Each structure stands twice: as C-alpha cells, then as structure tokens.
Amino acid sequence: MVSDVVRGRFIGPVQTVFTPQPDFIAFCTDWNSYDVPRMWDSVRNEDDPEAWKQMLGWERLGQLLADHHDRLATLRNELVEVWDPQRSKSAGMFMQVLDRLIYVMRENAYSSASTARGLDGVLQALKAAKEKVGPLKEKWDNVTTDWVPEWWDGAADELNNEARQTMTQAESAVEDYRRRIVIPEKYDFGDDRDRLGDPTPVPDTTGTGGTGGRGPSRPSGVSTAPVNPPPPVPGYDPVLIPGPDLQGMPQPVPAVPGSPISVLPVPPGSPYAPNGGAYILPGPGVGRGGWIAPMPMPAGVGGTNSATGAAAGARAGGMGAAAGMMPFATPAGAPGQQGRGGQRDGRRDEIWKVAKGVPPVIEGTPGRSRTVDADAVTDGPPLAAQDAAFADWFAKVATPWSDGLKVSITRRSDQPT
C-alpha cells in the first residue's frame, strides 16, 4: 500500500518519482569571499519555527494523500466487480478518469513525503551551521579584547577559516537534500471533465480567469521580492564557478573607499581606542597592514578619556556622520595613534602591569556591566550611553546592509604587556 511506503513501514524497490524533474540552474558560493559576520548574517535567521511547520505540513499532506489513494483504489476495485468496464462503455470511460486520478494521487503522495524529508534535511543542515557559526561570531566580536594588534589578523583568519568550512559543508548537504524535493505532474481536473463530456464549467479558483484545478492564487500581502544576501568582502568574487546571471545572486563589491569591509570591533576602554573603534583587516583596497579607526564621540556623550575621544574623532574625519563611510585611519602603533606605552599628541599613556591573583589596587566602576549590547544596556550613564553609541556606530560602519547585526562585546580588562 502507498501509505506503508509514505509512512516508512515498507522499504523496497518502489517507484516514487514519475515525472521528469526540471534542471535548476544554481551557483556555488565562494565562502572565501565572506568573513564571520557575513556568514553569520546568512544563517542567523535559520531554524525558523514556521519552516519546521511547513516541513510537517508536507509530511502530513503526503500521509493524507496516501490514505486517500489506498481507500480510493480499494473502492475502485469493488466498483469494477459490479460495473465491468469491459462490458460498459460508460464504465470504461469513468475508470480511465478514476485511474488517472489514482495515479496522480499516488505521485503526489510520494512527492509530498519526499519533499518533507528533503526539507527536513535542509533545515537540519542550516540549523547545524547556525549553531557552529554563532559562537564564532561571539569570538569575532571579542578578538580585540584578548589579543594585541599583532595577533588580531591571525585570530580573525582562524575564525574565518573555521566558519568557511562549516558553510561549505552545509551548502554541500543542502545540495544533496535538494534533490529529494520533488515536483509532481500538474493535474487539471477540467481535462477529465471534458473527457467525460460534462459541459459544466469548473469554477475559477486561480484568480487569473482560467478554469479548474490549478490551485488558489497567491494570497494578497505575500511579498514576492527576493531576499538580498549579505554582500561579500569588497574586492572578492562571491561566486565560485562562473555561470548565468541569476536574480538574487550575490554581486561582487568593488574595493573602494567607503565600502563596508571586514573589521573587528575595538570596544570602549581599549588602550588603542579608549572610546571604541574599528580595526580594519588587511585586504583589497586596504593594504597589507591593519588599521584602527577610532570612533568619534557624539556630542553630549561622555566616557572614559573624553579629551582623547574628541581628538580621535577629529582625526577620524567624522566617520559617524556618514553611515558606512570609512575615514582616513592611522596604522596601529604609528605616531598619532596610541601604541603600547607610546606617546599620542604629546601625552604619554601609561599601561600599568598588575599581578594576577591579588586584590586590585584600582577598583573598577561599581555596577558596570561587562557585556555591551545596544539593545540591552543596563549600565548607568555615562558608560551606558557610550556603549550604546559604539554598538550603533559599529553596526553602521561594519554591516550597513543589515539593521540587526549588532555586536555583543566585553569591555577590555586585560592590558598588553
């Protein structure tokens, strides 16, 4: 019985695909053109409960069609015993239509069950990728709190490579499960009614002026606009194998000043950018060395070392004024930018060494939360305002294509030696 195959109670050489499947033209993503934030943006909205409901809907539809098929086939055989199509022309014509309906119902039952299992595999692969890339994004946001600038590039490369392997594996799994999504033959009940000689028109349910059996039209209010994928790192081609231009395919981003590039957040409190900033990773349009771009402090927002923040803001050229525009920045450790125990603007910034395991000589600010999140800041002013301003500023600079990619960082507590 078809229901046994659909429910997995029978395994054997059963034909489950009857209609030739179309060839889908796709492209392969070159994940080497993406960094951790961009890969996280690709999977962070996966594991949607509505998607799992859709998968269960396909599974239940397959089981329902299989049960109806088996019952209809049984009734058909019982009808033949009292209305022999070999002896009645009307019975012969009716059985042709009924056999056609049973055939299509069987194909749709198999297609729905196969689609459900293929969709389940796709969702599982994307969920696994999300669970792996999520922690990498958290590490990415905190690279500059754990390392000195000489190590930031290497730490970012390790995180990128790990995320790229995860995304490549997920993409391969999705490609395999995609083959299990089956499109059945289109069935039009109006054709069978015409074959039986019934002149009664079939009500139009398509909303397009047609007749019969083509399913309802798309509900109003459902968006058909393609979802724009996150852009690649400027200067890199996001498509691995050249192919036809497809709608929604990621396009290369030129490496020109002002483009969103691969950056690490430098949280407020860092000796290299006391009010916060962005560490620009090397790459096309940047050069071989990394750069630190300090954040200009908005008017009315105080914080640690406000005089230094004002000077940094002047050197940054007002980066906060234009979202996504990268200013002229100073190389890490160069004159005019705070280095490790070096001078800046005629002033020397001392970095104190404190032995671990003993009570601190200088206490931290009481009640200050260590985790910085613009959407859930619990600090009191002025640190809360500074942290929120930094999270918003960095999101506009690093990921201007998305409104939801905020950083969640930890204020720097360890100091380079």
Side-chain angles (χ1 to χ4, degrees), residues 149 271-272 331-344 349-351 416:
Y272 304 103
Q337 173 66 29
Q338 181 175 358
R340 301 194 331 179
Q343 293 184 353
R344 174 177 49 194
D349 295 311
E350 297 291 345
I351 298 177

Side-chain angles (χ1 to χ4, degrees), residues 6-294:
V6 169
R7 295 178 185 274
R9 294 194 294 260
F10 175 81
I11 303 297
V14 178
Q15 181 183 4
T16 58
V17 179
F18 305 92
T19 302
Q21 297 298 296
D23 293 329
F24 290 93
I25 302 177
F27 57 87
C28 296
T29 304
D30 186 0
W31 293 109
N32 290 319
S33 300
Y34 292 82
D35 57 9
V36 168
R38 288 168 169 82
M39 287 181 276
W40 171 242
D41 194 23
S42 299
V43 296
R44 65 188 178 95
N45 292 322
E46 300 297 341
D47 197 22
D48 185 355
E50 294 300 322
W52 293 102
K53 291 180 181 179
Q54 185 70 29
M55 182 274 296
L56 291 176
W58 282 110
E59 181 71 24
R60 292 167 181 166
L61 177 61
Q63 296 176 3
L64 178 65
L65 290 173
D67 289 339
H68 282 315
H69 168 275
D70 293 345
R71 294 180 183 181
L72 189 59
T74 300
L75 293 174
R76 185 262 185 204
N77 294 333
E78 294 176 355
L79 181 61
V80 169
E81 295 179 0
V82 297
W83 195 22
D84 190 354
Q86 300 295 330
R87 302 175 60 181
S88 172
K89 183 177 179 181
S90 297
M93 295 179 62
F94 180 78
M95 291 303 168
Q96 288 181 10
V97 174
L98 187 58
D99 289 342
R100 168 67 178 166
L101 178 61
I102 293 174
Y103 173 87
V104 172
M105 192 173 292
R106 179 168 66 252
E107 182 185 21
N108 275 267
Y110 287 147
S111 298
S112 298
S114 179
T115 297
R117 288 155 194 172
L119 183 57
D120 178 76
V122 170
L123 295 177
Q124 292 285 1
L126 295 177
K127 177 182 178 181
K130 177 181 179 179
E131 292 174 346
K132 292 180 180 179
V133 178
L136 299 179
K137 173 60 166 58
E138 294 181 4
K139 293 180 180 179
W140 179 276
D141 290 346
N142 287 278
V143 162
T144 56
T145 65
D146 297 330
W147 307 94
V148 293
E150 289 80 1
W151 295 348
W152 291 348
D153 297 343
D157 285 341
E158 292 179 2
L159 294 175
N160 279 331
N161 291 333
E162 188 173 350
R164 288 162 183 164
Q165 292 177 4
T166 297
M167 296 301 295
T168 300
Q169 295 172 358
E171 187 175 53
S172 177
V174 169
E175 182 181 4
D176 291 339
Y177 286 116
R178 170 63 187 84
R179 298 187 179 96
R180 301 187 185 184
I181 298 178
V182 179
I183 301 176
E185 180 183 357
K186 183 179 179 180
Y187 176 70
D188 193 337
F189 181 64
D191 294 341
D192 289 334
R193 293 176 66 92
D194 295 340
R195 188 181 298 111
L196 291 174
D198 187 350
T200 305
V202 179
D204 179 19
T205 59
T206 65
T208 59
T211 58
R214 296 179 177 85
S217 60
R218 181 180 295 272
S220 60
V222 177
S223 175
T224 59
V227 177
N228 294 323
V233 176
Y236 291 91
D237 191 343
V239 180
L240 186 61
I241 301 176
D245 293 336
L246 302 176
Q247 185 179 16
M249 184 174 67
Q251 300 296 323
V253 178
V256 296
S259 297
I261 54 182
S262 187
V263 297
L264 297 170
V266 181
S270 169
Y272 304 103
N275 292 307
Y279 179 74
I280 307 171
L281 291 167
V286 178
R288 299 177 60 182
W291 303 75
I292 292 181

